[in-house]
Amino acid sequence: MKRVGIAFLAAIAAAGVIGVSANPVPSSTQAVSSKPSGTSKSNANPTPFVIPSLQEWEGAKGQWKLSAATRIVVDAAYANGGALDAGNMYMRNPSNLQQFAATFQSDISAVTGIDVEVVVSSKYGKNDIFLTLGAEKKDPKLNHEGYLLDISNKGITVQGVTSRGSFWGTRSLLQMLILADEDGYALPQGHARDYPNYNERLFMQDIARKPIPMSDLEEYATLTSFYKYNTLLQHYNDNPAVQVKGVMKDWQEKYTGFRLRSDNPEYSMYASNDTAYTKQDMRQFQDFVKARGLDLIPEIDAPAHSLCFTKFHPEWSINSDTARGDWLDLGNPAVEPFLKGVWTEFADWFDSSQISIGADEYDPTKGDLARTFINSMHDFLAGLNRTTRMWGSDVRLPGTVEIDSDVVTTHWDFLYSNPNALVARGNKVSNLNAPDAYLVPRTYAYEDFIDSRKIYNLWEPWVFDILDKTNT
């Protein structure tokens, strides 16, 4: 009997809903030559159905069947990874080919009930799935997450440019197995050349406003990896909408979420009582997502969305009835050193070379103060060997201070940022424009669901506004 885990059932059910990713604006260096997928031989196997679709497929005749005799054979020459692995991920110490093989082994068991063996060898047989690297030697135009897939009566070969590229090949095979006849788990013979069009395929998750168990976060990671997303952005602190102090007198009593629990008493007080993750929790979670081809970018949002701090330090909030209670006062000399101390404490929890500081929805009358803060944090994080990401805020934080063009911007709303202007001045921009790729369910401001038909027919990663294609 076919056994499909919860995440895979969700993956199938959500196929038309979650297939949207935020991508950086494409550059000329990302272009890859391609030809239409299909078959060139009469009566050859048609292109297998996987999501995202295979870029190129040349069908053959016949089938290959998974069986109890199948092994996952990891090429001994690349078991510990390849030379190109580390330079193409945000995370330090990325998973290697052997670790990805262990994930694939577990997935095959969950989907089919068949327990396959993982071995390290340079030789493989007709029943085996061979994972290897070096695809760039055969195909120099293949990008770093690309792979070559060959399914024949001699076995299956997945050859990536990087270990993560080979792992995406196993995701294609896994999807084929889910849709295969479970009496034989037969896969069509043929050859695929597959690669992503964009370097970053990001899924952002707010885990601050509502507590989420670690087991659920792992399910989300499995699901996003299943569709070959490669980046998670997790938002660790926030609070429900807070009105200005003159209207909301009880602002200090509102719910706050801060999901990182330090054992340092200087910072442990901010951790949420309902759900917060320890350093060990985050270590285990990062190992989990790495083994599924994902990078994890952490975000602690400030100087707005910071009620988790101002409720303990009301003197750090802006002293005005027209200011929100969750706005830290950047004019207070204690605030910026405190925020740098927060990242000094938590940055080492994370393997990511990039950190998001949030920096959105702050007091628009303090634009230059906020812009100066962003640049200061950018310099500070550079000293920790990290790059900086922020939410697009250039429109709602007007000023004369230029935000450093090296700061990566996640665009989400034209009310707050102008992505075209950011691109023109050299910023890398990740496209999460609402309502197409940004949701806040059960609020008046944003949509509850993604319009999957509209996304499929009209949206492209470089289109910031479907209704106005000049915003590209």
Side-chain angles (χ1 to χ4, degrees), residues 115-150:
D115 294 324
V116 299
E117 183 184 6
V118 174
V119 299
V120 176
S121 175
S122 59
K123 298 180 180 179
Y124 66 99
K126 64 180 181 179
N127 295 313
D128 297 334
I129 302 171
F130 184 57
L131 304 183
T132 186
L133 300 181
E136 74 283 358
K137 298 173 184 176
K138 292 182 179 178
D139 192 341
K141 292 185 178 180
L142 201 61
N143 65 27
H144 66 268
E145 290 186 81
Y147 64 93
L148 303 174
L149 171 64
D150 188 71

Side-chain angles (χ1 to χ4, degrees), residues 16 19-20 53 450-460 466:
V20 179
S53 301
I450 286 176
D451 185 337
S452 56
R453 187 176 298 276
K454 181 176 75 169
I455 291 294
Y456 183 81
N457 290 324
L458 300 175
W459 187 80
E460 296 289 351
I466 285 177

Side-chain angles (χ1 to χ4, degrees), residues 408-456:
V408 177
T409 300
T410 305
H411 168 73
W412 59 292
D413 194 317
F414 278 98
L415 292 175
Y416 291 88
S417 70
N418 183 337
N420 300 301
L422 290 168
V423 171
R425 62 185 297 272
N427 289 79
K428 291 183 179 179
V429 177
S430 188
N431 181 7
L432 254 66
N433 187 59
D436 306 319
Y438 183 91
L439 306 178
V440 185
R442 298 184 181 181
T443 65
Y444 67 89
Y446 298 99
E447 300 294 329
D448 288 346
F449 302 99
I450 286 176
D451 185 337
S452 56
R453 187 176 298 276
K454 181 176 75 169
I455 291 294
Y456 183 81

Side-chain angles (χ1 to χ4, degrees), residues 194-258:
D194 198 23
Y195 50 86
N197 288 328
Y198 298 92
N199 286 333
E200 179 182 288
R201 303 175 304 282
L202 181 146
F203 180 77
M204 180 269 173
Q205 192 173 23
D206 178 354
I207 62 175
R209 289 182 174 92
K210 182 178 180 179
I212 301 178
M214 184 60 74
S215 58
D216 285 7
L217 296 183
E218 292 178 350
E219 291 283 358
Y220 275 107
T222 300
L223 173 59
T224 50
S225 168
F226 184 78
Y227 288 121
K228 303 172 188 171
Y229 286 67
N230 66 1
T231 308
L232 300 176
L233 171 61
Q234 288 191 333
H235 179 71
Y236 293 124
N237 69 297
D238 217 319
N239 42 266
V242 176
Q243 296 175 308
V244 297
K245 291 180 178 181
V247 174
M248 186 177 283
K249 302 293 186 182
D250 61 346
W251 59 272
Q252 285 179 261
E253 301 173 17
K254 300 301 180 181
Y255 179 84
T256 66
F258 188 82

Side-chain angles (χ1 to χ4, degrees), residues 254-463:
K254 300 301 180 181
Y255 179 84
T256 66
F258 188 82
R259 301 301 176 194
L260 303 177
R261 186 181 301 281
S262 172
D263 56 8
N264 181 342
E266 188 173 351
Y267 301 101
S268 60
M269 61 192 291
Y270 306 113
S272 300
N273 291 325
D274 50 7
T275 299
Y277 315 115
T278 65
K279 186 176 184 179
Q280 181 61 26
D281 291 334
M282 295 312 302
R283 175 70 273 144
Q284 293 174 354
F285 182 66
Q286 288 176 96
D287 291 343
F288 182 90
V289 303
K290 281 184 185 182
R292 284 149 186 83
L294 293 162
D295 288 322
L296 174 66
I297 299 175
E299 176 175 290
I300 298 176
D301 202 347
H305 302 277
S306 295
L307 189 60
C308 58
F309 303 134
T310 60
K311 71 186 301 181
F312 289 97
H313 308 283
E315 72 280 7
W316 290 357
S317 67
I318 297 175
N319 185 22
S320 171
D321 282 347
T322 62
R324 284 178 10 189
D326 65 342
W327 286 348
L328 285 162
D329 183 0
L330 292 176
N332 186 317
V335 168
E336 186 173 319
F338 167 75
L339 292 173
K340 289 177 178 177
V342 167
W343 275 118
T344 299
E345 175 68 16
F346 291 108
D348 285 343
W349 286 30
F350 298 96
D351 292 343
S352 177
S353 62
Q354 188 168 102
I355 283 172
S356 177
I357 61 172
D360 60 310
E361 296 187 304
Y362 189 57
D363 186 345
T365 69
K366 300 184 182 296
D368 272 337
L369 193 62
R371 288 164 172 254
T372 300
F373 164 76
I374 292 165
N375 288 339
S376 179
M377 290 299 294
H378 168 66
D379 293 341
F380 167 74
L381 291 174
L384 299 180
N385 296 315
R386 315 297 175 108
T387 58
T388 303
R389 181 184 287 250
M390 63 176 287
W391 289 98
S393 302
D394 50 291
V395 171
R396 287 294 287 270
L397 291 176
T400 59
V401 175
E402 288 284 351
I403 296 173
D404 196 298
S405 60
D406 287 337
V407 176
V408 177
T409 300
T410 305
H411 168 73
W412 59 292
D413 194 317
F414 278 98
L415 292 175
Y416 291 88
S417 70
N418 183 337
N420 300 301
L422 290 168
V423 171
R425 62 185 297 272
N427 289 79
K428 291 183 179 179
V429 177
S430 188
N431 181 7
L432 254 66
N433 187 59
D436 306 319
Y438 183 91
L439 306 178
V440 185
R442 298 184 181 181
T443 65
Y444 67 89
Y446 298 99
E447 300 294 329
D448 288 346
F449 302 99
I450 286 176
D451 185 337
S452 56
R453 187 176 298 276
K454 181 176 75 169
I455 291 294
Y456 183 81
N457 290 324
L458 300 175
W459 187 80
E460 296 289 351
W462 60 86
V463 175

Side-chain angles (χ1 to χ4, degrees), residues 17-47:
V17 177
I18 199 170
V20 179
S21 60
N23 297 270
V25 175
S27 67
S28 58
T29 60
Q30 291 175 280
V32 181
S33 63
S34 64
K35 59 185 179 181
S37 63
T39 59
S40 59
K41 301 176 182 178
S42 177
N43 299 319
N45 292 319
T47 305

